[in-house]
Amino acid sequence: MLQVSILLAAILLDADGREIHTCYTYDTTVEYRPNIKQLLILLVPNNNSACDIFPAGANINVTIGNTDFATTVPLPVYLPYSYTISNFGYQNTTQIAVEGFSLPLDGLGDEISIDFLLIEIYSYAEITRIEILEMQTIISSLSECFYADMPMLVTKDSLYISMNATGLCRIQIGALKSIQVTIEGKQFSFDLMHSSLVDLKTNYNHNVKFNLNLNPGAVDSFSFTAQKPDIAATAYLLTNDGAIDTRIDLVFSEVKYDTILNFYSLSSMSLNDKAFIFTIISKPQSLTALRAKLLLTGYTYNKRILRLIVTTNEQSYTFDYITSKYNALQLHFPFKCSDQPSNQQQQCLTFYEHVRTSSNVKITISALFFYNDNILAVQHNVIDHIPQVFERVYFNVGSGSQSCLHLQNTVQNTFGAEVTNFKFNIMRADNYSVKGNFEYNVVYDHSKIEICFNDALLQDAVRENFMALMIMSQGDKQYVHVFQESKNNSQQDSILANYILVTVFSIATTVFVAVRLFIFGKRIKSLKKKKN
Ligand SMILES: *[C@@H]1O[C@H](CO)[C@@H](O)[C@H](O)[C@H]1NC(C)=O
Ligand SMILES: *[C@@H]1O[C@H](CO)[C@@H](O)[C@H](O)[C@H]1NC(C)=O
Ligand SMILES: *[C@@H]1O[C@H](CO)[C@@H](O)[C@H](O)[C@H]1NC(C)=O
Ligand SMILES: *[C@@H]1O[C@H](CO)[C@@H](O)[C@H](O)[C@H]1NC(C)=O
Ligand SMILES: *[C@@H]1O[C@H](CO)[C@@H](O)[C@H](O)[C@H]1NC(C)=O
């Protein structure tokens, strides 16, 4: 760092303006990105009000030097990159990108290493200097041209790619020629005849969002991917600056066929007592959008497949629910290993155990709507998997008006001994009409396995043929469980428990979920009243 002080001494002598000190902190850094020829200065203002004086049209000089290099060239070595910024603001200009910047080469043809770097920001009358003691070299920038969140939506005729630019690849994207896309092994090429590519080429900059719309011009080019929940797709941008082709690979965060994103609100799978139970709750606005999409096809669907694919690192299992009509009241889809043909039970139990102990579980849900064999609409989404909290939950209907909730084999000690709010939304297991909503406050902690409620109405609701959604809340901790009773009502064994989901929600989510479910229950009730 000897060199830095020598340089500063030299500069102070020929400083022509009034110098303002400590405008920036020592956290100010510089990054060098050789492959995109960019020097990025990341300024950290020191909130020194004296520095507010710099006008919007400030000048900036960047000077670099190196001691080894200096042995072959007289000292000091100045390599000034001088330019003017038009919207400079002391408080808000925190990034300055010096484009087209390359380090000079030494006698052996290698880039020189830098020992000092000085940034000067000046106007006619004032100057401030920032000496940078360390510079980082970052090379991988061509993979950083866009932020990682880059979903692609495939429709029967077009591809839509949402991309958010980092601004790091201005030079390359400015020379954009085409985009090459491979979908499930088929290749497509799109050139600048596509106006959204021209938009990308022209307006590429930091934090600018683009939505590429690529249409090969043929009918139904992409229908062949409709039933795949995850479409295999790769793509790259091809740029050419007159001499060399550069390839910028794109990595998609998600590739879905004509899907409404975030379709479901509270949806999840739970494992309980050798049963998988899927709880699927669509957002009302999603359903409206889906209905509109179906309407546009001009057909009324006569087959709907609800397909749940549960995947772990090693195995995958597909659960299909096929109906001719969609019943909006059905929220819970149970799948019991004991209901499977005897030659498949062992496989089911093995998979159940595998999922139960697996830390990496993905659940995709596909809703496929057909008219005969023609696919009309699809909806592919991923839903949460929340690790199990209890191994088994069920109601035991007792004597008098008592019914006791059993929370067996706590896997996680989530609840301390505190007043806990229990809410139950209980519906009929056969036609999903609401039997009742109940709410209790009880002191509960995880060591308790039985809680009894003295409520004749609750007892009546859980006596048989029910599906119960339970929300347990303690402060801002919340659990949601769904459990189901078999029609056989002979004490403990009659109860087929259930389903457990959800660990800790924020309070906001808590209220939202509870309100949605309970409003739902009320609406059904009032509908019933109207009918009667
Ligand atoms: C300058 O002020 C901003 C906003 O008030 C603050 O976030 C920042 O930490 C301050 N910087 C310093 C170096 O004090
Ligand atoms: C900035 O660089 C330019 C071009 O080399 C030079 O004319 C000017 O004097 C420099 N300004 C300062 C304050 O060093
Ligand atoms: C900084 O703020 C000023 C005034 O609000 C604005 O004119 C200028 O464009 C801003 N500059 C940047 C780099 O955001
Ligand atoms: C994407 O761009 C917007 C502005 O259009 C910005 O606010 C947002 O933070 C960017 N996203 C990411 C992931 O940086
Ligand atoms: C469900 O079944 C019960 C008992 O058969 C009946 O009273 C109720 O009206 C049915 N509800 C719906 C929505 O079909």
Side-chain angles (χ1 to χ4, degrees):
M1 288 313 120
L2 177 68
Q3 208 50 50
V4 172
S5 36
I6 293 170
L7 176 78
L8 280 181
I11 293 217
L12 287 175
L13 290 179
D14 63 10
D16 40 5
R18 182 171 70 93
E19 179 156 8
I20 304 172
H21 296 278
T22 58
C23 289
Y24 296 95
T25 74
Y26 287 112
D27 292 330
T28 294
T29 52
V30 170
E31 290 174 5
Y32 173 45
R33 300 165 186 257
N35 56 335
I36 59 164
K37 297 191 166 63
Q38 188 190 64
L39 194 72
L40 189 66
I41 302 167
L42 301 158
L43 296 169
V44 183
N46 216 358
N47 298 343
N48 177 352
S49 59
C51 307
D52 288 330
I53 199 159
F54 290 102
N59 302 298
I60 296 159
N61 279 14
V62 179
T63 306
I64 60 172
N66 157 286
T67 38
D68 296 334
F69 195 53
T71 59
T72 57
V73 178
L75 249 173
V77 180
Y78 290 103
L79 299 161
Y81 282 75
S82 181
Y83 56 106
T84 302
I85 189 167
S86 62
N87 65 341
F88 182 82
Y90 167 60
Q91 301 288 353
N92 62 350
T93 299
T94 52
Q95 285 199 6
I96 299 173
V98 184
E99 305 287 359
F101 177 97
S102 290
L103 287 178
L105 305 180
D106 64 14
L108 298 171
D110 294 325
E111 286 185 335
I112 63 160
S113 63
I114 291 186
D115 287 346
F116 60 78
L117 198 152
L118 181 79
I119 301 158
E120 293 168 288
I121 298 172
Y122 62 99
S123 63
Y124 179 73
E126 285 86 16
I127 184 164
T128 187
R129 297 192 164 92
I130 312 141
E131 46 179 305
I132 303 290
L133 302 182
E134 239 174 273
M135 186 174 77
Q136 271 189 304
T137 299
I138 295 181
I139 301 198
S140 63
S141 298
L142 285 186
S143 63
E144 294 170 11
C145 297
F146 301 95
Y147 290 112
D149 183 25
M150 193 191 295
M152 175 156 83
L153 190 67
V154 181
T155 68
K156 64 192 185 60
D157 301 318
S158 294
L159 305 175
Y160 297 90
I161 304 173
S162 299
M163 45 203 340
N164 199 354
T166 58
L168 294 177
C169 306
R170 252 165 297 195
I171 291 183
Q172 287 73 14
I173 306 275
L176 183 65
K177 290 280 175 283
S178 66
I179 179 170
Q180 313 291 322
V181 188
T182 304
I183 304 262
E184 292 285 335
K186 286 197 192 179
Q187 291 177 12
F188 300 87
S189 176
F190 305 93
D191 60 18
L192 294 176
M193 297 295 287
H194 290 80
S195 59
S196 60
L197 277 189
V198 177
D199 179 36
L200 175 64
K201 177 186 161 115
T202 320
N203 298 317
Y204 177 88
N205 217 326
H206 179 59
N207 263 350
V208 177
K209 279 193 175 148
F210 296 92
N211 195 9
L212 300 188
N213 174 357
L214 307 169
N215 182 335
V219 177
D220 284 357
S221 304
F222 305 112
S223 297
F224 71 103
T225 64
Q227 292 198 42
K228 294 192 187 298
D230 291 301
I231 300 171
T234 58
Y236 58 91
L237 301 173
L238 207 57
T239 74
N240 184 297
D241 65 359
I244 45 163
D245 280 346
T246 305
R247 183 183 150 146
I248 299 174
D249 287 308
L250 303 179
V251 180
F252 298 114
S253 50
E254 188 174 57
V255 184
K256 294 264 173 263
Y257 188 90
D258 204 4
T259 277
I260 299 157
L261 299 175
N262 304 316
F263 193 87
Y264 301 101
S265 53
L266 173 73
S267 298
S268 160
M269 171 186 76
S270 104
L271 304 168
N272 198 85
D273 197 30
K274 316 282 183 270
F276 299 83
I277 300 186
F278 300 97
T279 291
I280 295 163
I281 303 175
S282 312
K283 292 181 184 163
Q285 68 268 31
S286 307
L287 288 176
T288 307
L290 178 63
R291 236 174 264 127
K293 218 159 97 172
L294 280 164
L295 204 63
L296 274 179
T297 66
Y299 289 92
T300 305
Y301 70 89
N302 55 14
K303 182 169 74 173
R304 169 185 178 258
I305 301 178
L306 189 64
R307 175 168 297 157
L308 290 132
I309 304 177
V310 180
T311 313
T312 68
N313 287 341
E314 295 123 63
Q315 290 182 32
S316 161
Y317 212 88
T318 301
F319 302 85
D320 271 355
Y321 296 85
I322 303 174
T323 51
S324 59
K325 270 203 74 171
Y326 169 56
N327 184 346
L329 302 185
Q330 182 172 9
L331 307 181
H332 311 294
F333 296 81
F335 185 95
K336 299 166 216 158
C337 285
S338 59
D339 287 350
Q340 300 316 298
S342 57
N343 62 346
Q344 284 163 30
Q345 285 199 7
Q346 194 48 51
Q347 193 195 2
C348 182
L349 291 172
T350 306
F351 186 69
Y352 178 90
E353 207 48 38
H354 180 69
V355 173
R356 208 174 65 78
T357 53
S358 188
S359 58
N360 190 0
V361 179
K362 181 179 174 190
I363 306 161
T364 57
I365 169 168
S366 298
L368 312 171
F369 296 85
F370 295 87
Y371 176 71
N372 300 337
D373 285 335
N374 302 317
I375 195 144
L376 301 179
V378 304
Q379 188 53 48
H380 299 291
N381 300 84
V382 173
I383 59 171
D384 290 343
H385 173 58
I386 289 120
Q388 183 167 27
V389 176
F390 302 107
E391 294 233 340
R392 190 179 179 201
V393 179
Y394 59 88
F395 264 120
N396 195 2
V397 177
S399 55
S401 55
Q402 209 176 53
S403 31
C404 299
L405 181 72
H406 285 245
L407 301 163
Q408 283 197 340
N409 304 341
T410 314
V411 180
Q412 293 175 32
N413 297 349
T414 309
F415 289 115
E418 269 178 53
V419 172
T420 307
N421 180 263
F422 289 81
K423 285 190 175 117
F424 300 97
N425 170 252
I426 296 169
M427 47 176 61
R428 290 183 61 97
D430 52 2
N431 66 8
Y432 322 110
S433 63
V434 172
K435 289 189 175 206
N437 292 313
F438 305 89
E439 184 171 347
Y440 311 95
N441 288 317
V442 181
V443 176
Y444 169 77
D445 74 87
H446 64 265
S447 65
K448 244 186 204 173
I449 59 159
E450 187 184 59
I451 302 160
C452 295
F453 304 100
N454 234 323
D455 184 335
L457 289 175
L458 175 69
Q459 191 193 49
D460 194 42
V462 301
R463 194 178 291 283
E464 59 176 11
N465 187 27
F466 76 87
M467 181 82 85
L469 187 148
M470 173 180 75
I471 301 174
M472 281 171 77
S473 321
Q474 203 179 70
D476 60 357
K477 283 180 271 181
Q478 176 168 294
Y479 291 85
V480 179
H481 307 244
V482 178
F483 50 102
Q484 184 188 11
E485 184 182 18
S486 74
K487 293 196 176 185
N488 175 355
N489 194 25
S490 63
Q491 291 300 307
Q492 206 159 311
D493 289 334
S494 72
I495 291 142
L496 170 96
N498 79 328
Y499 145 77
I500 290 156
L501 96 138
V502 175
T503 41
V504 181
F505 275 102
S506 69
I507 292 176
T509 318
T510 305
V511 170
F512 173 76
V513 168
V515 166
R516 251 196 60 65
L517 290 166
F518 284 86
I519 284 177
F520 182 67
K522 273 191 189 137
R523 200 174 65 206
I524 302 301
K525 252 193 199 161
S526 60
L527 277 179
K528 264 174 59 184
K529 271 187 201 141
K530 270 185 202 153
K531 271 192 190 159
N532 293 347

